[in-house]
Amino acid sequence: MALTLFKEGAKSRCDTYGFLAGIFRQELTAQQIKEMINSGVLDMLTELGAKIDRNFFNKPAEQVEEALAIEYTALFIGPGKHINPHESIYVPDSTGKVGYYWGECTADMKKWVEHYGLKMSEKFESIPDHISIELEFMQRVIEQEHLSWQRNDEETAKRCIEVEKTFFNKHIIKWVPLFLNRVIDSASLDFYRETAKIGKDFISDEGNLLNEETAGVTDTN
Amino acid sequence: MAIKEISRRDIFKLGALSALALTGMKLNKAEAVTLMGDMDALQWGFKDISPETRKERKAVPSACWQCVTRDGIVAYVEDGRLVKIEGNPKLPRTNGVLCSKGQAGMNQVYDPDRMLHPVKRVGSRGSGQWKRISWDEAKKEVVGLMKKLKVEGHPEKFAFWYGRMKDSTSHYVKGYFMAAYGSGTTAGHTSICEGDKWVAHELTWGKHYENWDFKNTNMVLNFGSNVMEAHTNHIPVAQRLVEGMAKGAKLYTFDVRLSNTAAKSTEWIPVKPGTDTAIILAMINVIMSGNLYDEKFIKNWTNVTVDQLKDHVKKFTPEWAEKESGAPAKKIKELAIAFAKAKPGVAISYRGLVAHYAGVNNERALITLNAVCGYINIPGGFCQPVGAKWNDPFKKGFKSQHAKVHGKLKIGYGYKDAVAYPTHGVTQDVLGVIKEGKHGRPDVLMTYCINPPYVNGNCQDNINIMKDESIIPHLIAYDVAYSESASISDMILPAANYLERWDAMGHASGDQIHEFFIRQPVVKPLGEAKPITDFVDEIAPEFGIKLPFKNHEELVKAMCNTTKGVKEAGGFDYMLKNGAWYDVNEKPHYHQHEKKLSEKDLAGTKVDEKSGVIYKPDEKHPKPDAKNYVGQMVDGVAYKGFPYDKIDRQTGKIAVYSHPLKKKNWDPMPVYYPIPEHQKMSDGELILTTYKVRTQTHSRTQNCKLLTEDYHTNPALINPKTAATLGIKDGDKIEVSSAIGKIVTKAKVTNAVHPSAISISHHCGHWQYGRYTSGVKPPVEVGANDNDIDLKLKWWTDNGEHPNWIIPNSTDPMGGQQRWMDTVVKVRKV
C-alpha cells in the first residue's frame, strides 16, 4: 500500500520540489514570467487555491519582473531585515550556537551533495545549505526513485525512499516550514506569499508520507 | 489559511503545475541548476566516489569474516588501498546490511601491529625474542618436522588446531591436504561458542543449525540470545527480527542481563543464571495441560505421545519455575498461552541457555517447546536451515590420493569418557588432554587463527602447558595477529586476512533459499603475509601430494563453473563481478521433513518396524543407523523426515525421547538439571556470566581501532541491591575471585543485571594483540611499525580485564560445551 503511494507519486513529488527550488533559487526573469502566464502555471496555482491578483500579472512583463525582483531582494537578500534562505541561520549546532553561516548543517549538506555524486554548479554563487539546494537535492533523489520505478527496480526505489526520509528529517523539516512561515508573514506581493503557502502544505504532506507511510519500506528512523 | 490544505489528490495537480513550470518557465534549465552531476550512488552498492579526488573507487564484491556470519560485502579500493567496506545488496541473506564490525574490517588489513613476516624464536618459548626468517626457511623447517613424522609412520602427530577457518579454505586444508598427508588430528573451537546447541540438534532433529523465520512470525520467546548484537548469523536474523517486529511481532527476552536485545524487546524478564530450562518446561506444561498443543504434529513428528508428554511435564509447574528462576509464575503462564496461540511463534536460544551444565538438555527442551506448538519448519517458525550446495568437481577423483597411513589423536574431544556426545569438540580441554597424554601427544601443534590462552577458560593453565616444551615439543602459530598464542610459539607464520584471499561460501539463508557467494581478494596480502592455502600449495609437493588444482582461485573458479545455477548465471566471471548468486524465482523452503520419498528414493530400502525409520542396509551397516538413513514412515507414507547427522537418534522424527542420552545414563526426556555448583553457594557468592557487545567479537576484532575506540573496557555489571550488601558503589575497584584465581576490575552498578549475577564481557583485557587493545607493541621483527597516524590519537589507557583468568575450563559432560555461565565467585571492594 505504502509502496504504491510512492510509486504513483514520485513524478509529482519530484517536480514539485523542482518547482519550489526554482522559485526560491533566484529572481524570475521576464521570460519566465511570460511563460508562467502563457503556459497556464498561474491558472493552476489559482486552481489549487492560491489567491493571486491577476491584475498584477496583467502589467507589462518587465514591470512585473522588476516588482518581483524587488520583492525577492527584500525578502531573501537584504540589506536590512530579511529572511535568510540558509539552514545554518535557523538550526543550532551541537554547541547550541545558531545564526551564522557555514555551520555544522552546512558542512553536512555539502557531504550529502558530494556523497551522492553531485557538486555545486560554479554558476550558483551561494553556500550548500541554501533553500534551493536542499529542495533540489530532494528533487534529484526522487527523480532517481521515479526512474527506478519505471525500470521495475524496487530495491533502488526503496533505497531512494530511505535517503529521502533521512535527508528530509535531518535537514528539510528542521527549518523549511519556519522559513516558509516567515515568507508568508512578510511577503508584500501575493506571488511569494501564496507559493510559500503551497510549499508549506506540501512539506507538511511530505512529512506524513515519509514518516508514516514507510513502515516495511525502510528501516531508517 | 487562505489556501486549502493540500491533499494527496492535490499532489498530482501540484505535480502537473510544477512539471509545466519546470519545462515552460525553464526553472530546471541546465545553466541555472544549482547541482550538477548524476546520482549513480543511489544504485545501492558497487559505486563509490572519493570525496577528495572525485575519482571513482574500484568496487570488489567479497565476504566478511569479522565474525562467522560472513556477510556479503563490497569493498572499495582507491589507489591500491582498501578505503571502505559496505554490504553487498545482491546477497539476500544480508541484504546489503553490514554491522560496525564488518565496516571496520579495513583495520584488519592495516593494523600497524599486524604480523607481516615469518619469525622464529631465539630465546626461550615466550621470551618475546624473535628472528625474522624467510618463507623458504620457514617452509623448510615445517616440512622437515612433518616429514620426520611421516617417515616414522606417525603423521597423526602433526596436529592442526583452528579457530577462524571455514568454507573452501577448510575443505582445502583439512579435506585435501591433511587427508593426503595422513593426519586426522584436528581440533576446532565450537565448544567455547555454542557447541551444546548443535549436539542437542543432532540428538533431537538431526542436522545442526536452525533459522528463525522472524519476518513471518507473530511472537518470539528468547532464552539467552543477544540476537540484535551478536549471533552466528547476526545480520540476517537481526534485520528480519526488526522487520517482524515492525509488522507487529512481540519479542519476550529471558536473560540475566539487559542486553540491547532485551532492551529492544516487548518485555525483558530477568532470570537467575542457569534456570531458563525451568521456565521452558513450565511453559510446555501450561501448553500441554491447557490442551493448547498441536496434536497432529506431536503424533506424526515426535517420538512421544501427547499423554507421555503431559505426564512428563506435569511436575514442572509455573510456581516451581518461579522459585527456581525468579520469573513470575503468572508471566510464565501468560506467555506460554500467548505463544501457543501466536501461530506462528518461535522460541530461540543461544549461549545464555546452553553454556551451562547439561546445556544439551536445555536446548532439547527449547526444541520441544517449538515442537509441541507445531512451530517446526513452518513460515514464522523454527526452521531447518537452507544453504549453498556447492559442487567440487575435484573431490571424487582426489580420494585415491589419500594417505595409506592415516591416524588421528583424539585430542579435540575431551578427556577419555568425560563427555557423552562431543560431536562439536571440546576445545577448552585440548591442552589439558595433551598434557594428560591418554589420547597421545602431538609432536607438532600448528595453531591457525586461534588464540587458546585468551579464548579458553583458565588462561594461566593454557599458558603453562603451551610454554612447556616437554608437553608440546613444537608449536607453530599461523596467524594474522601477534596474539597471546603466537607470542608463546616457536615460529609464527603471517597469515593473509580475509580481505586478501579466496573462498567459495555459503551460510543459512534468512529467507530459506539457496544463496551462493564468494570471497575474493580485495587487496594483495600485506608484507609477506600469505593465505594458508598458498602455503599448502607450496608444501604439498614435498609429500608427494599432487593437488588437483593449481591454487585456491582455481578451486573456487571450478566450483563456480560447475555448480548448478551459478554456472548458468555466468559462473566464475559472474561471481567475480557480483559476489553472490541466488535464483530470484526460488520459493522459500518450508516443511522439508514432509517431503514424500519417490520410488527411486525407496529402492533397496527397508523399514524398521519399531521406529518406522526407512534405511538402506549394506554389509557395513545392516541395521538402521546414521549412515544409512533414508526417511521416516508416518501413517503408511514415506517421508524425508529429519535425517540423522552425527548421532544415531533411532528415529526420523523429533526425538523428544532420546535413546542415545538414555544409553549414556542421562534422562532421555528434557528435564531440569540444576547447576551443581549453584546448589552449594554460600551467602555473598555470585554467579559470573559473560556476554558479547555489538562492536566486538570474542577475541579477534580488538586490533581494529575503530571498534576498540568504541569498546575497550568492560566494568563488571552488578545489581544495586547486591552492590549495597557488599558496600560497593558505581566505579569502585572490586576484586572478583573464583576457585582458580582473581581479577581486579571496576564495578558498574546497574539494574541491567540480575541480583544473583555479576556480568563481565569477554572482549577486553588482551595482554598482546597489538597496541590498540593491549597497549603492548609487538616485536618489530614480526612487522609492527609506528606508521599508523592514529596511534598518536589513541586516547584510552584502560584496556579492561579478561574474565577468563578466573573461569575454569569446565566442560558439560553431555555435549562438551565450555560452561561459561556457571562459575561461582566472591566479590569484594578493593
Side-chain angles (χ1 to χ4, degrees):
Chain A
M1 181 61 186
L3 273 182
T4 311
L5 279 180
F6 281 97
K7 194 173 179 177
E8 290 176 352
K11 179 74 170 62
S12 295
R13 293 175 57 229
C14 166
D15 288 342
T16 305
Y17 276 110
F19 169 66
L20 294 171
I23 295 298
F24 293 115
R25 184 180 292 126
Q26 59 196 31
E27 300 88 335
L28 294 177
T29 63
Q31 187 57 35
Q32 284 176 321
I33 293 163
K34 274 184 200 164
E35 287 295 337
M36 183 161 67
I37 299 163
N38 297 339
S39 65
V41 170
L42 211 54
D43 295 336
M44 289 173 83
L45 276 171
T46 312
E47 266 182 51
L48 274 170
K51 291 185 174 174
I52 296 174
D53 179 7
R54 292 299 295 257
N55 290 329
F56 173 75
F57 284 95
N58 289 337
K59 294 176 190 167
E62 288 68 24
Q63 275 186 37
V64 177
E65 181 192 13
E66 181 73 4
L68 286 176
I70 291 167
E71 170 89 334
Y72 185 94
T73 308
L75 283 174
F76 309 123
I77 297 176
K81 194 179 174 190
H82 65 282
I83 306 160
N84 199 300
H86 295 94
E87 182 182 350
S88 69
I89 303 300
Y90 300 81
V91 179
D93 66 15
S94 52
T95 65
K97 211 170 133 193
V98 70
Y100 65 101
Y101 286 120
W102 267 104
E104 284 172 7
C105 55
T106 321
D108 188 60
M109 188 57 216
K110 184 172 181 282
K111 280 185 199 164
W112 276 88
V113 166
E114 289 171 357
H115 179 78
Y116 287 101
L118 297 170
K119 63 177 182 180
M120 303 280 294
S121 164
E122 286 170 7
K123 292 180 180 171
F124 186 75
E125 293 174 353
S126 190
I127 41 184
D129 60 346
H130 189 273
I131 178 94
S132 66
I133 298 182
E134 297 204 0
L135 294 170
E136 188 184 332
F137 184 81
M138 281 298 281
Q139 177 200 9
R140 294 301 198 98
V141 181
I142 301 169
E143 183 180 29
Q144 292 300 314
E145 184 202 332
H146 173 60
L147 294 172
S148 305
W149 288 124
Q150 282 190 325
R151 58 173 185 267
N152 292 321
D153 179 1
E154 186 178 312
E155 278 305 309
T156 306
K158 282 159 83 174
R159 167 76 171 155
C160 292
I161 295 167
E162 267 192 37
V163 175
E164 291 160 28
K165 182 179 174 179
T166 310
F167 181 77
F168 183 90
N169 288 330
K170 204 161 183 197
H171 287 278
I172 301 279
I173 199 63
K174 297 233 174 106
W175 74 287
V176 174
L178 181 62
F179 168 83
L180 292 172
N181 266 339
R182 290 191 183 170
V183 177
I184 293 165
D185 292 344
S186 308
S188 59
L189 296 180
D190 297 340
F191 178 72
Y192 282 110
R193 183 178 60 249
E194 296 298 310
T195 310
K197 283 178 182 173
I198 287 177
K200 189 187 160 192
D201 281 353
F202 172 69
I203 295 299
S204 164
D205 190 78
E206 280 289 286
N208 294 336
L209 180 75
L210 290 168
N211 290 312
E212 289 170 24
E213 301 290 347
T214 46
V217 178
T218 83
D219 297 325
T220 314
N221 290 316
Chain B
M1 273 183 70
I3 196 167
K4 64 181 177 183
E5 286 205 1
I6 290 184
S7 67
R8 291 283 337 144
R9 206 172 48 249
D10 293 333
I11 286 294
F12 295 104
K13 279 188 191 167
L14 183 56
L17 175 159
S18 301
L20 209 54
L22 290 171
T23 50
M25 294 167 70
K26 296 189 175 56
L27 283 175
N28 229 0
K29 202 176 164 192
E31 57 264 31
V33 168
T34 326
L35 298 172
M36 297 177 76
D38 58 39
M39 291 197 92
D40 281 0
L42 281 165
Q43 306 284 327
W44 193 355
F46 294 88
K47 179 134 183 164
D48 199 60
I49 310 285
S50 162
E52 282 85 27
T53 63
R54 307 301 308 157
K55 267 170 46 182
E56 184 171 345
R57 292 161 166 170
K58 183 182 164 196
V60 186
S62 191
C64 191
W65 206 188
Q66 287 282 58
C67 85
V68 73
T69 303
R70 290 161 285 161
D71 293 348
I73 60 170
V74 181
Y76 296 97
V77 180
E78 190 177 341
D79 297 330
R81 184 177 175 89
L82 168 64
V83 291
K84 181 178 175 182
I85 304 174
E86 292 180 338
N88 181 354
K90 295 185 179 180
L91 182 65
R93 57 182 291 270
T94 45
N95 237 343
V97 178
L98 188 66
C99 78
S100 52
K101 297 186 284 284
Q103 292 177 50
M106 56 195 176
N107 291 166
Q108 292 283 9
V109 179
Y110 305 115
D111 173 8
D113 292 334
R114 182 183 165 179
M115 292 287 314
L116 294 179
H117 311 289
V119 290
K120 189 179 171 185
R121 73 176 163 92
V122 290
S124 59
R125 200 180 271 179
S127 65
Q129 295 169 285
W130 301 94
K131 181 189 166 199
R132 183 171 158 180
I133 58 172
S134 69
W135 264 110
D136 282 346
E137 287 172 285
K139 271 183 283 185
K140 195 175 167 191
E141 186 136 344
V142 175
V143 168
L145 291 167
M146 291 177 74
K147 266 193 179 168
K148 181 173 173 282
L149 296 176
K150 186 92 174 162
V151 169
E152 289 169 356
H154 289 293
E156 77 281 3
K157 288 194 172 183
F158 173 77
F160 186 77
W161 190 5
Y162 58 94
R164 203 43 71 85
M165 190 170 79
K166 265 196 181 298
D167 300 301
S168 56
T169 296
S170 175
H171 182 51
Y172 207 104
V173 175
K174 289 200 295 174
Y176 280 103
F177 178 70
M178 289 288 281
Y181 169 74
S183 175
T185 308
T186 60
H189 76 284
T190 314
S191 66
I192 55 168
C193 292
E194 71 295 80
D196 264 15
K197 190 169 165 69
W198 310 143
V199 179
H201 284 208
E202 286 157 2
L203 282 163
T204 312
W205 76 342
K207 298 275 181 193
H208 77 271
Y209 216 78
E210 85 272 36
N211 178 43
W212 305 322
D213 195 21
F214 285 139
K215 70 177 180 183
N216 294 311
T217 202
N218 291 326
M219 182 172 176
V220 183
L221 288 176
N222 173 19
F223 296 93
S225 172
N226 189 8
V227 57
M228 299 277 200
E229 292 189 85
H231 184 273
T232 50
N233 208 14
H234 175 212
I235 289 301
V237 287
Q239 63 174 298
R240 284 166 180 83
L241 177 55
V242 170
E243 192 179 337
M245 291 179 78
K247 287 195 279 186
K250 305 289 182 201
L251 167 65
Y252 296 91
T253 294
F254 295 84
D255 204 313
V256 171
R257 187 178 66 90
L258 181 70
S259 64
N260 279 330
T261 304
K264 288 277 182 190
S265 297
T266 312
E267 194 172 342
W268 168 48
I269 302 105
V271 293
K272 187 184 163 192
T275 62
D276 309 58
T277 308
I279 300 164
I280 296 171
L281 292 165
M283 285 185 162
I284 299 173
N285 181 14
V286 171
I287 292 164
M288 296 307 295
S289 61
N291 295 328
L292 296 166
Y293 50 84
D294 184 331
E295 187 172 3
K296 193 175 164 197
F297 189 88
I298 295 173
K299 178 180 168 286
N300 289 348
W301 289 113
T302 73
N303 66 347
V304 291
T305 66
V306 165
D307 288 342
Q308 266 179 300
L309 255 176
K310 278 186 174 175
D311 188 53
H312 173 70
V313 295
K314 68 184 178 195
K315 60 182 176 287
F316 304 122
T317 64
E319 291 71 24
W320 161 81
E322 176 176 341
K323 216 171 138 190
E324 287 297 316
S325 67
K330 195 179 158 203
K331 180 60 67 181
I332 294 171
K333 276 185 221 169
E334 176 194 314
L335 292 182
I337 292 166
F339 185 65
K341 290 181 175 175
K343 297 189 190 312
V346 59
I348 68 168
S349 74
Y350 237 83
R351 285 192 329 131
L353 183 70
V354 302
H356 291 288
Y357 178 80
V360 170
N361 168 79
N362 302 347
E363 178 73 8
R364 278 178 36 73
L366 182 100
I367 299 173
T368 304
L369 175 58
N370 282 298
V372 298
C373 296
Y375 296 158
I376 303 288
N377 284 345
I378 62 165
F382 190 91
C383 299
Q384 287 176 304
V386 179
K389 285 183 182 165
W390 285 102
N391 178 58
D392 174 359
F394 302 113
K395 196 177 166 186
K396 215 171 176 183
F398 187 73
K399 276 200 170 172
S400 60
Q401 272 206 43
H402 281 199
K404 284 177 188 154
V405 179
H406 195 280
K408 176 177 185 172
L409 303 179
K410 289 184 73 180
I411 58 169
Y413 300 91
Y415 295 99
K416 202 168 187 315
D417 298 328
V419 181
Y421 293 101
T423 51
H424 288 266
V426 186
T427 195
Q428 68 274 15
D429 288 341
V430 165
L431 292 170
V433 167
I434 291 174
K435 183 182 176 188
E436 185 196 52
K438 286 188 182 170
H439 287 306
R441 281 182 182 165
D443 192 60
V444 181
L445 174 60
M446 179 181 277
T447 57
Y448 175 70
C449 294
I450 192 166
N451 192 3
Y454 183 87
V455 296
N456 291 335
N458 205 340
C459 302
Q460 193 58 54
D461 262 13
N462 301 324
I463 294 165
N464 294 345
I465 296 170
M466 288 182 80
K467 283 173 85 169
D468 190 335
E469 292 174 52
S470 72
I471 297 173
I472 304 171
H474 303 284
L475 186 55
I476 302 164
Y478 203 125
D479 210 327
V480 177
Y482 188 74
S483 65
E484 286 77 2
S485 183
S487 73
I488 53 173
S489 297
D490 300 332
M491 189 190 295
I492 317 177
L493 308 178
N497 78 31
Y498 69 92
L499 294 155
E500 301 164 335
R501 57 182 182 80
W502 292 94
D503 261 317
M505 313 183 65
H507 198 345
S509 160
D511 299 323
Q512 297 287 108
I513 60 170
H514 299 90
E515 301 175 38
F516 300 82
F517 53 114
I518 66 163
R519 163 172 297 121
Q520 63 177 313
V522 171
V523 285
K524 285 182 181 168
L526 211 63
E528 293 186 277
K530 193 189 290 266
I532 192 165
T533 48
D534 285 12
F535 181 67
V536 162
D537 293 339
E538 290 168 15
I539 66 169
E542 300 281 350
F543 304 98
I545 299 167
K546 190 173 181 329
L547 295 170
F549 33 74
K550 201 170 76 186
N551 53 33
H552 200 174
E553 178 180 353
E554 202 172 289
L555 172 64
V556 173
K557 183 178 183 177
M559 290 170 83
C560 292
N561 287 340
T562 61
T563 296
K564 198 181 162 195
V566 181
K567 178 187 166 188
E568 287 75 17
F572 189 53
D573 289 342
Y574 179 90
M575 295 300 269
L576 287 180
K577 201 174 160 197
N578 296 281
W581 178 84
Y582 69 104
D583 179 355
V584 290
N585 297 313
E586 187 175 346
K587 298 273 179 281
H589 296 265
Y590 297 108
H591 304 285
Q592 299 98 310
H593 60 285
E594 291 178 296
K595 185 190 167 198
K596 288 181 184 164
L597 299 180
S598 66
E599 279 187 24
K600 194 180 160 194
D601 295 328
L602 295 169
T605 62
K606 283 186 174 179
V607 177
D608 178 63
E609 277 185 24
K610 199 176 164 192
S611 63
V613 167
I614 307 162
Y615 66 104
K616 197 176 268 184
D618 61 21
E619 276 183 20
K620 275 187 180 174
H621 305 278
K623 290 187 175 176
D625 66 16
K627 297 279 181 193
N628 61 20
Y629 175 89
V630 175
Q632 173 72 42
M633 294 299 295
V634 175
D635 283 342
V637 182
Y639 293 100
K640 183 183 172 191
F642 296 92
Y644 294 14
D645 193 353
K646 292 172 183 162
I647 303 171
D648 180 2
R649 305 200 317 283
Q650 300 179 33
T651 179
K653 298 182 176 185
I654 288 185
V656 175
Y657 182 99
S658 174
H659 294 283
L661 282 177
K662 173 79 177 163
K663 194 174 151 191
K664 299 274 185 172
N665 298 319
W666 289 94
D667 199 312
M669 296 289 281
V671 291
Y672 179 61
Y673 289 103
I675 311 300
E677 295 88 335
H678 298 182
Q679 309 313 303
K680 299 178 281 189
M681 285 171 67
S682 315
D683 280 352
E685 286 186 323
L686 296 173
I687 300 161
L688 172 62
T689 66
T690 62
Y691 63 93
K692 283 183 187 167
V693 300
R694 72 200 183 289
T695 45
Q696 296 285 6
T697 61
H698 187 168
S699 69
R700 300 195 71 82
T701 46
Q702 291 78 31
N703 55 330
C704 295
K705 59 190 175 188
L706 292 176
L707 301 176
T708 300
E709 179 172 27
D710 177 79
Y711 191 86
H712 47 263
T713 189
N714 56 344
L717 311 184
I718 187 165
N719 188 279
K721 284 182 195 163
T722 316
T725 62
L726 297 168
I728 292 167
K729 290 191 187 72
D730 192 46
D732 278 352
K733 258 191 178 180
I734 55 170
E735 179 188 276
V736 186
S737 57
S738 73
I740 66 162
K742 57 190 171 189
I743 57 170
V744 173
T745 185
K746 271 186 199 161
K748 171 78 183 164
V749 178
T750 169
N751 277 311
V753 68
H754 193 274
S756 66
I758 182 163
S759 207
I760 306 177
S761 81
H762 56 190
H763 310 289
C764 303
H766 272 288
W767 56 98
Q768 290 292 347
Y769 229 81
R771 279 164 283 182
Y772 284 115
T773 183
S774 66
V776 178
K777 183 180 178 179
V780 289
E781 289 83 357
V782 307
N785 62 71
D786 300 333
N787 292 340
D788 186 358
I789 195 165
D790 289 340
L791 278 169
K792 292 175 191 158
L793 301 175
K794 179 178 179 275
W795 52 266
W796 62 95
T797 51
D798 180 358
N799 300 312
E801 292 296 330
H802 193 38
N804 293 15
W805 290 101
I806 59 169
I807 301 175
N809 282 323
S810 174
T811 298
D812 168 35
M814 245 189 205
Q817 171 76 44
Q818 162 66 12
R819 297 163 53 199
W820 290 120
M821 314 296 190
D822 291 348
T823 309
V824 174
V825 294
K826 287 190 172 75
V827 179
R828 70 177 182 89
K829 187 176 167 179
V830 177

